[in-house]
Amino acid sequence: MSTAQVVHWVWCYLYALVVVAGGSIQQSTFFLIPTKYNVEDCLLAKTTFTSSPYPKMLPYFQCAKKCMADKNCNLFCLSPDLQSCSTFSLYMSSAFLEKAFGSANLTPFLACYSSWAHGRNLITSTMRVKSSAPTVESSSMNKAIDGICCLSSYKSYRFRGATNQSNEWLVDLQQVVTVAELRIVGSVTYFHSVSIHFGNSTDNASNPVIAKIGAGVGDNRVYLKPKATGRYLTLKSATRDMFDVCEVQVIPVI
C-alpha cells in the first residue's frame, strides 16, 4: 500500500469515527507539510506508541486523533520509526521556510500535518512585502510569510510594527487574483482594529477596504462575501500601538 493510500484510508476511517462516536473530538482536514526538520517551540505533547499489528497505518490515525482532541493543536508530526507523535500549537503552512526555524540538530520527523494550512494558499516566502518600521530588525516584514508562527514564543516568528507610528503590512501577490478567504495569525494584544485593503493599486490607500477586524482572536479567518479581486493586500492598524502579524494565508476562489 502506497503512502497516499495509507493517508486516504486513515482519513476515511477517522471521519467515520467522528460522525459515529461524537464526543469532544472535532473533525479537521490536515495537509502534509514538506519538512523533515524538528521544531521545539509550541510543543504540546510527545507520545510514544505501543506496538501495533498495523505499524504503517495506525500511528497516523492515533496522532491525528490526539491533535483533534486538543483545541490548541494545529500540527502533528511523526517520528521516522512511527513510534512517537509530537503535537504542536504551531501555525504552519505549506510554504514553511525550514531553513529559518527547522533544526537539523534534532531527530528529524518523518512527516508533519497541519490543520491550519490550506491546499490553495497563494503566499510564498519569496513574495515582495512592505511594512512600517519593525520594533527590532529580527521582527522584519518577511516573517509574516515564512510559513510558521508560534504565538507563545518570544522568538522572532512575526512582523511586529513599532509603537507610536502608523502601522501597516503589505504583500504583492504578483498577479491579479480573486480571493475567497484570508487566514491571519497575530497576537490578540497587538492585532486588533485592523482594516484590510485589497486591489490593483500600489498605493494601498487607493484600494478598497474589503474587511475589518475589531478584536483579534489569534487565528483570524476572514471569509469574503462578495469575493474580492486584486493584487496588493494591505493590513493597516487604526491604532498607534505595536502591530503584530505572525503569519498570513491568501486562499483564492476555486
Side-chain angles (χ1 to χ4, degrees):
M1 182 178 288
S2 69
T3 300
Q5 288 173 316
V6 169
V7 173
H8 176 73
W9 180 90
V10 168
W11 295 130
C12 287
Y13 183 82
L14 187 60
Y15 176 77
L17 178 68
V18 171
V19 171
V20 175
S24 61
I25 297 175
Q26 302 298 314
Q27 183 185 346
S28 297
T29 300
F30 291 90
F31 288 91
L32 176 65
I33 301 296
T35 179
K36 294 183 178 179
Y37 280 52
N38 199 318
V39 181
E40 293 181 307
D41 291 329
C42 276
L43 177 67
L44 295 171
K46 183 175 181 180
T47 304
T48 300
F49 299 129
T50 56
S51 59
S52 165
Y54 306 104
K56 293 183 179 180
M57 299 180 184
L58 201 55
Y60 288 89
F61 165 75
Q62 290 176 319
C63 204
K65 180 181 176 182
K66 181 171 287 294
C67 187
M68 291 165 68
D70 185 340
K71 66 179 182 179
N72 296 312
C73 182
N74 304 306
L75 182 84
F76 72 84
C77 300
L78 290 154
S79 63
D81 59 4
L82 295 177
Q83 294 301 304
S84 68
C85 159
S86 297
T87 55
F88 299 87
S89 58
L90 282 166
Y91 295 93
M92 192 179 288
S93 74
S94 56
F96 171 50
L97 189 62
E98 60 183 27
K99 289 183 179 179
F101 288 99
S103 174
N105 297 322
L106 301 170
T107 303
F109 292 125
L110 172 67
C112 293
Y113 293 84
S114 170
S115 62
W116 185 73
H118 195 289
R120 300 198 311 277
N121 176 34
L122 294 175
I123 293 292
T124 68
S125 60
T126 59
M127 286 182 167
R128 186 175 65 89
V129 290
K130 295 195 305 181
S131 74
S132 46
T135 52
V136 292
E137 185 177 350
S138 59
S139 297
S140 67
M141 54 194 171
N142 297 83
K143 295 298 180 70
I145 58 170
D146 61 5
I148 183 171
C149 168
C150 176
L151 282 178
S152 63
S153 173
Y154 289 100
K155 292 182 181 179
S156 298
Y157 280 96
R158 66 212 355 116
F159 160 70
R160 178 163 284 183
T163 190
N164 295 321
Q165 67 177 14
S166 178
N167 276 306
E168 63 181 20
W169 179 90
L170 177 148
V171 61
D172 177 3
L173 300 178
Q174 302 176 334
Q175 61 181 321
V176 176
V177 295
T178 300
V179 174
E181 178 187 347
L182 303 172
R183 298 183 180 185
I184 306 166
V185 179
S187 162
V188 174
T189 305
Y190 299 120
F191 187 85
H192 60 87
S193 305
V194 178
S195 296
I196 302 174
H197 298 252
F198 188 52
N200 295 320
S201 175
T202 54
D203 176 14
N204 70 288
S206 301
N207 291 325
V209 174
I210 60 170
K212 291 186 177 182
I213 296 175
V217 294
D219 179 10
N220 302 276
R221 306 288 180 101
V222 180
Y223 301 97
L224 299 172
K225 294 181 180 180
K227 309 298 187 286
T229 299
R231 171 172 172 172
Y232 301 98
L233 176 72
T234 302
L235 309 178
K236 186 172 181 60
S237 174
T239 77
R240 295 181 66 82
D241 202 347
M242 286 191 290
F243 184 46
D244 187 286
V245 185
C246 198
E247 203 61 42
V248 176
Q249 289 191 89
V250 176
I251 295 93
V253 297
I254 298 176

